[in-house]
Structure formats: structure tokens, C-alpha cells
Amino acid sequence: MKVFRFYAPGDVRLEDAPEPEVAAGEVKIRVRACSMCGTDVKISTSGHQRIVPPRVMGHEIAGEVVEVGDGVDGWAPGDRVQVIAAIPCGRCAWCTRGLETICPHQVSMGYDYDGGFAPFMIVPPTVLAVDGLNRIPDGVGFAEASVAEPFACAINAQEIADVHDGDTVVVVGSGPIGCLHVRLARARGASAVYLVELSRARLDMAADVVKPDAAVCASEQDPVEAVLELTGGRGADVVITAAASGAAQEQALRMVAPRGRISFFGGLPKDRPTITLDSNLVHYKELTIVGANGSSPAHNRTALAMIADGSVPVSDLITHRLPLEQVAEGIDVVRSGAGIKVTIEP
């Protein structure tokens, strides 16, 4: 079979590989959809400290069971499944307190295990041990199910930031995760959701699909002034920075209302991880700043359920569906921002 493997920064290859064989405690699946995100671009260009090459990439995975290893119960060939990306240990002090997203022993599909840019892959025992293989609900397609993983990350962030009924929410960044944040905030009861983006083309593309209450192009107007004007000078209750931008994080403190919450969802580049934070704004406005790191198995199940019941549709976010042979082209689409969500269908 063909697989898309990472060897070194700038060295990714579509190449032949033997079809994997299932062992005891494992499940073999036929990959039907594996979506892409900005992390795939970063890995292909710069690598990742946790990846030991060669490694089959792809971590937003959906498919169907083709074979079950000895000792595995509850699964059978033909079952439609979605696979978690971040795998907690399930045993440490954090996991046993329900804080699996900050498990210090976390491993990941496409990093520590071969991922979904392949026709067939193995779901390891570590995934099964934490209930990380999820049934795809009836009526949900494989491509939609593959989007459940990034959607789960948005759910984690909005739970931490406590987005709730009546909130005015600003989402900074109009990529696929920003689009998911807009729709999720609405589903959680936000009264108004504003979308901020530096690129006019990306903003227009995203706004045309997710229809925020206002779309602000940060390269054409001061986003802080725009948000304050939209909120009558009060500011937003919640600001989610769904972009790897230190400037966006700094601006968030100025566009949030007193007692507001800020989610630093997008991590910053490793060589520029610091910002200038006006701590007096935090002090006098009594602000809360939170982080968000990935998702838990339960968040993935919630994501699938919300896709299934229509509260957060995702199919219209998938702008490109490409065969495995065009993975490299898909990475270029993500890099350029020419689409919203790219899904590989091996």
C-alpha cells in the first residue's frame, strides 16, 4: 500500500509500505478519511521533537474496522469508528482527576504511532485502554467524523473558558478551528459571535460559511477598536485567540470586557513564545486568562454527538477532499490558506 511518511524536516514521502498486520490487543482499520490541520504543515516543514522517523503522518482519523486482535472485545469488522489523536495514560494523578488533556505521559497518533495517511492502520492498545475508539453515529459520514478531533479541541477550550448563554464572543483566526469555535460558541448560547482575521480572503471565505454576527479584517481596521464599537465600548465577554499570533493575544486583553475570559487557544512559535502582557489590565479589569491543550476521549465523543444532532455542522467546512496520492497538494492548500478544511480519503 501507499503511505505518506515523515523522515526529516522538509523530507516527507509518498511511498510503498507493507499492509500492517493486527496483533493481540489491537484493532486494524481501513482509513476512510483523515483530515489535515496546521500541525501537519509544521511537521512536514519543521518536524516535531516527539516524532521518531520514519512515521506515517495523519491524526484526524475515521474509518471502519477490518480485523480485531486477540483479547479485544466490543468491536467487529464493519464497525465505523473515529480515533482520538491525543492518548492519555489514564493512570496518572492528572488522568484520575479527569484532567486527561494535561497528562504528562500523553502520546499521539501520527507522532508516536503511525497515523492515518494510509489505506490501513493499526489502533494501538493504548487507545483502546482509554476508550479512545469511538463509534461514528448513524448519519455522520467518515469525512465529518474525521473533523471531530479538532472540534473536540475547541470543546475543551470553550469548557475551560466557560462560554455560556448570553456571552459576546470574539474568535481571532478564521481557519478551520476558528470556524468551529464560531459555531460551537453559538451552540453554547452566545448572543453574538464576531470573527477577526488578518487576511481579507480567508476572512471572506470563512464568514461566507459560518456567518458570524460581524467579520473584522484586522489588516484594514484596528480589531480592538472594531470590537469595542460592536459592543458599545464594553468589550467581549470571551476572546478566543485561534491563531498562532502574539499580537492577537496582546490585543485580546484590550478587547475583552471587565471580568471577561480570554482563551489562548493557538500556541505561539517555539522561537517566539513570549508576549508583552499589560498585567494592570488583568488586575483592574479582573480578567481570567486560560490555556487549552488538545482534547480528551470524552471530548471526541461529545464532538461526534454534536455533529450528529446538527448543533455544530461540519460538512460545509470541508472545502477539499483529496486522494492519498495528493497529500502533498493538500498540505500546500493548508499552508496557503486557500481552503478551510482539507480531508484525505485514502
Side-chain angles (χ1 to χ4, degrees), residues 244-295:
S245 167
Q249 292 183 351
E250 292 173 358
Q251 290 168 345
L253 273 77
R254 295 163 48 216
M255 64 174 65
V256 72
R259 279 293 177 102
R261 291 96 69 200
I262 299 168
S263 173
F264 284 173
F265 182 89
L268 299 185
K270 295 293 188 293
D271 58 344
R272 297 191 308 276
T274 60
I275 63 171
T276 299
L277 187 150
D278 186 340
S279 64
N280 277 338
L281 289 175
V282 180
H283 173 66
Y284 288 110
K285 293 170 72 174
E286 298 186 353
L287 304 180
T288 299
I289 302 173
V290 296
N293 174 43
S295 62

Side-chain angles (χ1 to χ4, degrees), residues 183-205:
R183 284 188 166 163
L184 177 60
R186 281 220 180 92
R188 292 177 66 90
S191 59
V193 185
Y194 306 131
L195 183 59
V196 177
E197 166 65 50
L198 198 62
S199 164
R200 167 55 68 183
R202 284 177 64 88
L203 178 64
D204 289 347
M205 178 171 54

Side-chain angles (χ1 to χ4, degrees), residues 25 32 86 92 107 119 145 154 167 195 245 320:
R32 295 298 185 184
C92 69
V107 291
D167 278 340
L195 183 59
S245 167
H320 294 71

